[in-house]
């Protein structure tokens, strides 16, 4: 893949501040602070920002990548990444020295490949995948004290990824999981700080933004794809969540 193409998918910088320009809103972000050998990690989910305290560290390693990069692999891996970013927004990597060392090694390899004048996109993506698998393992080891609830969150995210275009009500997912709607929302609020409806709507917005920028479909067709029965209802929903109309967003970001 040509350099100008893959650099639109992956970005690596050695600092983070309020003026740092990320690839897009619809991108994931890791920021490893370098205060104690990359001991602390801040995560930026899709369509959100880093926690404000992340900007207190002037030096570190910022890894920013587009959603489509993980979608080029299998769905199970993509779901694990989604759960990683929907969990804790700050990880203390000192809790497992062995995994912390492996993560540091991956970061070194990533930096070297990124700076190489004959950098390979496949190699870069493979190193990044190894890094994320290590972080997924770390999170599952240290941030899952209630195994059953963690399993329910994973199953909810998996179901949502399959059905969110047709099913936008939380009762559908609660029924599938065999628990009450109230219990599902309690689990999600405790672990992810959002209700099922809020997570589903965030997923709709993420997909809407992607389609508005990359798809040749009309705005009305995109609305129908996302389960809205009219252009006006989709436009109202999008403007309420994003702050601008779908047409304005498409014009500014395409």
């Amino acid at each position: 893949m040509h350099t100008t193409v893959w650099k639109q998918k992956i970005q690596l910088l050695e600092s983070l501040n309020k003026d740092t320009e990320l690839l897009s809103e619809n991108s994931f972000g890791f920021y490893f602070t370098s205060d104690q050998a990359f001991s602390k990690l801040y995560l930026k989910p899709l369509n959100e920002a880093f926690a404000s305290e992340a900007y207190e560290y002037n030096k570190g390693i910022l890894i920013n990548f587009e959603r489509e990069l993980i979608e080029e692999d299998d769905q199970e891996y993509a779901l694990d990444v989604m759960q990683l970013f929907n969990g804790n927004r700050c990880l203390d990597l000192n809790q497992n020295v062995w995994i912390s060392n492996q993560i540091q090694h991956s970061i070194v390899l990533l930096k070297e490949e990124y700076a190489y004048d004959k950098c390979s996109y496949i190699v870069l993506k493979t190193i990044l995948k190894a890094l994320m698998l290590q972080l997924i393992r770390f999170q599952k080891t240290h941030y899952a004290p209630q195994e059953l609830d963690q399993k329910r969150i994973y199953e909810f995210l998996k179901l949502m990824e399959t059905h969110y275009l047709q099913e936008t009500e939380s009762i559908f997912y609660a029924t599938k999981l065999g628990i009450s709607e109230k219990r599902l929302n309690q689990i999600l609020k405790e672990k992810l700080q959002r209700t099922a409806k809020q997570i589903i709507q965030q997923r709709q917005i993420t997909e809407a933004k992607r389609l508005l920028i990359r798809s040749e479909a009309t705005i009305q067709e995109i609305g129908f794809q996302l389960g809205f029965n009219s252009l006006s209802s989709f436009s109202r929903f999008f403007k309420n969540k994003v702050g601008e109309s779908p047409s304005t967003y498409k014009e500014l970001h395409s």
Side-chain angles (χ1 to χ4, degrees):
M1 182 178 289
H2 196 276
T3 302
T4 56
V5 176
W6 68 253
K7 283 205 170 182
Q8 295 173 5
K9 292 188 178 185
I10 307 175
Q11 178 186 42
L12 194 153
L13 300 172
E14 296 196 20
S15 64
L16 175 68
N17 57 61
K18 293 290 186 180
D19 297 323
T20 300
E21 187 174 344
L22 301 180
L23 292 171
S24 73
E25 288 183 345
N26 191 30
S27 66
F28 295 102
F30 290 127
Y31 187 55
F32 296 87
T33 66
S34 56
D35 58 329
Q36 296 179 21
F38 306 126
S39 62
K40 189 172 288 187
L41 168 63
Y42 291 91
L43 298 96
K44 186 200 88 67
L46 301 174
N47 299 314
E48 296 187 32
F50 284 104
S52 58
E53 63 186 73
Y55 298 99
E56 297 174 7
Y57 299 89
N58 296 324
K59 292 185 178 180
I61 296 296
L62 170 66
I63 302 170
N64 181 218
F65 59 95
E66 293 290 355
R67 176 194 177 92
E68 64 188 75
L69 184 139
I70 66 166
E71 293 177 335
E72 294 169 356
D73 290 294
D74 60 275
Q75 186 184 37
E76 200 79 7
Y77 165 63
L79 285 169
D80 279 338
V81 174
M82 292 293 287
Q83 187 173 3
L84 171 65
F85 279 90
N86 279 318
N88 295 71
R89 303 298 167 84
C90 179
L91 305 181
D92 180 2
L93 302 179
N94 284 326
Q95 294 189 43
N96 187 309
V97 175
W98 186 85
I99 291 181
S100 178
N101 288 337
Q102 295 300 307
I103 289 169
Q104 290 180 51
H105 181 61
S106 293
I107 291 173
V108 170
L109 291 176
L110 196 67
K111 288 176 63 178
E112 290 176 349
E113 184 65 27
Y114 191 87
Y116 184 39
D117 59 359
K118 295 181 180 179
C119 176
S120 164
Y121 173 69
I122 299 299
V123 173
L124 202 62
K125 193 174 81 163
T126 301
I127 299 170
L128 182 58
K129 183 173 183 178
L131 172 62
M132 281 193 280
L133 289 173
Q134 289 158 357
L135 289 169
I136 289 165
R137 177 167 56 181
F138 177 86
Q139 186 192 55
K140 287 181 177 179
T141 302
H142 295 280
Y143 292 89
Q146 298 179 32
E147 187 174 330
L148 179 59
D149 285 351
Q150 286 296 123
K151 182 178 179 182
R152 284 168 170 165
I153 290 173
Y154 178 79
E155 290 300 324
F156 166 74
L157 292 172
K158 187 175 180 180
L159 282 168
M160 184 192 68
E161 200 63 29
T162 304
H163 298 289
Y164 78 94
L165 293 176
Q166 298 82 32
E167 303 291 344
T168 59
E169 298 301 324
S170 55
I171 186 64
F172 169 83
Y173 300 94
T175 301
K176 286 284 188 182
L177 293 172
I179 58 177
S180 70
E181 185 177 11
K182 181 180 179 179
R183 180 57 186 150
L184 173 60
N185 283 320
Q186 284 176 337
I187 294 168
L188 294 173
K189 283 283 285 184
E190 180 184 346
K191 299 293 184 181
L192 307 183
Q193 293 75 55
R194 286 175 290 175
T195 64
K197 187 70 172 179
Q198 289 170 330
I199 294 171
I200 294 164
Q201 289 180 339
Q202 185 64 60
R203 183 65 183 89
Q204 287 178 295
I205 289 296
T206 295
E207 185 64 9
K209 287 180 174 181
R210 186 184 73 83
L211 291 171
L212 287 168
I213 294 172
R214 304 182 187 281
S215 172
E216 295 183 0
T218 66
I219 293 174
Q220 185 173 29
E221 289 169 340
I222 290 171
F224 287 149
Q225 286 181 50
L226 292 170
F228 294 88
N229 56 18
S230 69
L231 174 60
S232 59
S233 61
F234 171 57
S235 296
R236 281 195 304 272
F237 170 78
F238 190 90
K239 187 169 184 178
N240 178 258
K241 299 297 180 184
V242 180
E244 54 194 25
S245 69
S247 58
T248 300
Y249 184 86
K250 183 178 179 68
E251 182 180 344
L252 292 174
H253 297 88
S254 296

